[in-house]
Every structure is written in structure tokens, then in C-alpha cells.
């Protein structure tokens, strides 16, 4: 059976190498180092080192993820769900959301316009399809209603 080779880099070097490519959350970095075969105690030392030297910052990571998701046209619910899966603390998530303010209604509208090219649904089936798309993107029913019903009012 396949046996894992011992890691070549120290856990701190591996953590810094991962962080040099992009920001990671504390939990995500822990998982990546664990997969690479480092011991839990060594991983904790590496995480502490990165936290002390400000290489690892969950708030900075959350803000970066929020900006990335907004750029992709995702709504607040989807962003929150993704960051919860990556185990970003609720307090940090709230702070990051406050620091990256957004008009979710206009974002939903622009996502709908981009996807459906400004075409209003011809029938109930098509309307339901548009609603599902925006729900999957993470928008609330109020935002979806605004996005789909205000397109032709300009």
C-alpha cells in the first residue's frame, strides 16, 4: 500500500509557502498542513508562528473571500455559508461583512441581468428557473424579487 513520505520542509516553511500564494484561514491552513503529513503539535507551532508574525489573519482572509465571491456575483447567504464551512468565526465574519459593505439588491439585479441578458421570464417555468439560479447564488427572496421584477422598469 502507499506510504506517505516524510515532509521535506519544516511545518513553518510549508505554512509560509502556502500563505505566499494566497491568504488562508486558520482552519484551512491547519487542514492543508495535516494532509501534507505534519504532526498536530508541529502544525500548532507553525500556526502560532504565522499568527504572531501576522502572516495568518482570519479577518483579512474573510475580507478577501468576500471580495472574491462578490466579484463572482454571489449573494450574502452563499458567502456566509462558504466561510462557515471554512470555519471562520462568526464575529470575524460579521466584522468582515461590515468592512466590505454591499448593495445586495443591486448585486442580485446585475447577476440576473448578466445571466439572463435582461430578458424577462416568458412563463412561470422560466421564472422559477431564474429564481433557482439566484437562490443558488445566495440571494434572499426579497433580493431575487427586486432583481427579477425591476429589470424592465428603467
Amino acid at each position: 500500500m502507499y506510504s506517505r513520505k516524510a515532509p521535506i520542509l519544516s511545518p513553518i516553511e510549508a505554512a509560509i509557502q502556502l500563505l505566499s500564494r494566497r491568504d488562508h484561514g486558520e482552519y484551512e491552513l491547519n487542514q492543508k498542513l495535516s494532509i501534507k503529513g505534519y504532526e498536530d503539535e508541529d502544525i500548532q507551532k507553525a500556526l502560532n508562528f504565522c499568527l504572531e508574525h501576522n502572516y495568518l489573519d482570519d479577518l483579512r482572509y474573510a475580507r478577501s473571500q468576500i471580495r472574491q465571491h462578490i466579484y463572482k456575483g454571489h449573494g450574502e447567504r452563499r458567502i456566509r455559508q462558504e466561510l462557515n464551512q471554512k470555519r471562520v468565526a462568526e464575529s470575524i465574519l460579521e466584522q468582515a461583512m461590515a468592512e466590505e459593505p454591499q448593495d445586495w439588491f443591486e448585486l442580485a439585479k446585475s447577476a440576473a441581468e448578466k445571466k439572463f441578458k435582461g430578458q424577462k421570464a416568458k412563463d412561470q417555468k422560466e421564472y422559477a428557473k431564474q429564481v433557482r439560479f439566484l437562490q443558488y447564488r445566495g440571494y434572499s427572496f426579497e433580493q431575487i424579487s427586486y432583481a427579477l421584477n425591476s429589470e424592465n422598469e428603467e
Side-chain angles (χ1 to χ4, degrees):
M1 193 166 141
Y2 175 74
S3 64
R4 186 177 300 222
K5 290 189 287 186
I8 298 169
L9 298 172
S10 77
I12 292 174
E13 291 170 333
I16 290 172
Q17 192 177 59
L18 287 167
L19 290 168
S20 71
R21 294 188 193 113
R22 70 168 178 86
D23 264 333
H24 288 71
E26 195 172 336
Y27 173 75
E28 186 181 33
L29 188 58
N30 185 335
Q31 293 299 103
K32 286 191 176 186
L33 292 173
S34 180
I35 289 169
K36 287 181 180 279
Y38 294 103
E39 299 296 321
D40 289 342
E41 189 179 311
D42 295 334
I43 292 172
Q44 200 52 54
K45 285 179 186 171
L47 291 176
N48 290 338
F49 176 86
C50 291
L51 286 167
E52 287 168 17
H53 291 83
N54 204 25
Y55 299 146
L56 184 62
D57 182 356
D58 272 358
L59 178 60
R60 185 176 60 222
Y61 169 72
R63 290 177 56 200
S64 150
Q65 289 293 301
I66 290 168
R67 284 191 302 273
Q68 221 172 14
H69 281 284
I70 288 170
Y71 179 76
K72 292 177 182 176
H74 294 165
E76 185 177 7
R77 286 181 175 177
R78 171 116 179 234
I79 295 169
R80 286 180 181 279
Q81 180 183 12
E82 299 261 340
L83 288 173
N84 281 333
Q85 284 177 342
K86 293 181 179 181
R87 299 201 184 157
V88 173
E90 192 64 35
S91 59
I92 290 174
L93 179 55
E94 289 303 324
Q95 186 180 348
M97 283 293 201
E99 290 178 13
E100 297 291 332
Q102 236 6 266
D103 184 348
W104 299 107
F105 288 91
E106 287 302 319
L107 197 60
K109 184 177 175 182
S110 70
E113 286 172 355
K114 184 176 179 183
K115 174 72 175 175
F116 307 117
K117 298 173 181 41
Q119 299 293 315
K120 211 150 174 71
K122 296 175 189 74
D123 57 17
Q124 199 59 34
K125 186 176 178 183
E126 196 173 321
Y127 182 78
K129 183 178 177 181
Q130 291 180 356
V131 169
R132 276 193 310 276
F133 170 78
L134 290 170
Q135 278 181 314
Y136 173 74
R137 284 294 181 97
Y139 296 102
S140 70
F141 285 112
E142 296 83 26
Q143 294 160 352
I144 292 169
S145 179
Y146 173 83
L148 296 179
N149 297 324
S150 67
E151 283 181 23
N152 294 342
E153 294 172 6
E154 295 172 0

